[in-house]
Amino acid sequence: MAKVGIVMGSDSDMPIMSKAADMLEKFGIEYEMTIISAHREPDIFFEWAKGAEERGIKVIIAGAGKAAHLPGMCAALFKMPVIGIPTSDLGVVDSLYSIVQMPSGVPVATVAINGGQNAGILAAQILATSDDALLEKIKNYADEMKSEVVAKDAKLKEVGYKAY
């Protein structure tokens, strides 16, 4: 199966990025995860991003904190899908802006602020466009989420709250 690359500039992003890895594991998708600072070690970053395709990477998930260059730089060097995760809160919007405001010709898909789980799901959905077994796993996951909501609603009604 195709691999996903997960990259972050700091270990402070690990709680968010690990949620993407958790989703990939749930769907049985192989991934590699690394910490590379595009600012402090640009030579290592360039080598990693330029070599991603050769390593079997089909999608990159890049976390972006306050100095949010990783997703855009990945997209500049890697010609397959890149998903950016803004990993700072709305009090510091630079990471969100730098991901959603990419110039024409260098797209980066963007998920919610701190949206590691959605980034993992989106990467799986991209890979599922050419993998029917993976698509089935994603559909099953959606069914599981629906069942959880139905069960919570039933429990709510069970304890006496008025039904809608």
Side-chain angles (χ1 to χ4, degrees):
M1 180 178 286
K3 289 191 335 188
V4 174
I6 300 174
V7 63
M8 64 201 95
S10 169
D11 63 347
S12 64
D13 293 330
M14 184 57 81
I16 295 155
M17 305 308 285
S18 65
K19 291 177 182 176
D22 292 345
M23 290 311 302
L24 297 173
E25 287 178 13
K26 179 174 185 65
F27 295 126
I29 298 169
E30 188 180 346
Y31 66 91
E32 64 178 44
M33 185 183 297
T34 191
I35 298 170
I36 302 174
S37 171
H39 298 107
R40 296 180 186 95
E41 44 189 10
D43 52 335
I44 294 171
F45 170 73
F46 272 70
E47 181 182 322
W48 181 85
K50 284 186 170 189
E53 184 179 354
E54 189 176 293
R55 292 191 312 278
I57 302 295
K58 299 295 183 190
V59 179
I60 289 177
I61 298 172
K66 293 180 175 110
H69 301 290
L70 275 176
M73 287 303 299
C74 286
L77 298 168
F78 179 75
K79 300 307 175 204
M80 287 186 268
V82 174
I83 302 167
I85 305 174
T87 59
S88 62
D89 61 31
L90 279 176
V92 185
V93 294
D94 5 354
S95 66
L96 175 64
Y97 290 157
S98 71
I99 298 171
V100 300
Q101 295 291 75
M102 290 299 297
S104 295
V106 189
V108 174
T110 310
V111 294
I113 293 171
N114 300 327
Q117 183 177 359
N118 275 353
I121 294 168
L122 180 55
Q125 290 173 327
I126 291 167
L127 296 175
T129 61
S130 61
D131 184 332
D132 291 338
L134 178 56
L135 180 58
E136 195 59 34
K137 290 178 185 180
I138 293 168
K139 289 177 179 180
N140 290 339
Y141 176 70
D143 288 343
E144 288 171 22
M145 288 192 302
K146 178 182 176 182
S147 295
E148 288 174 8
V149 173
V150 169
K152 288 175 184 179
D153 182 56
K155 187 174 182 180
L156 180 72
K157 291 172 183 164
E158 205 174 272
V159 296
Y161 289 100
K162 298 208 186 263
Y164 170 69

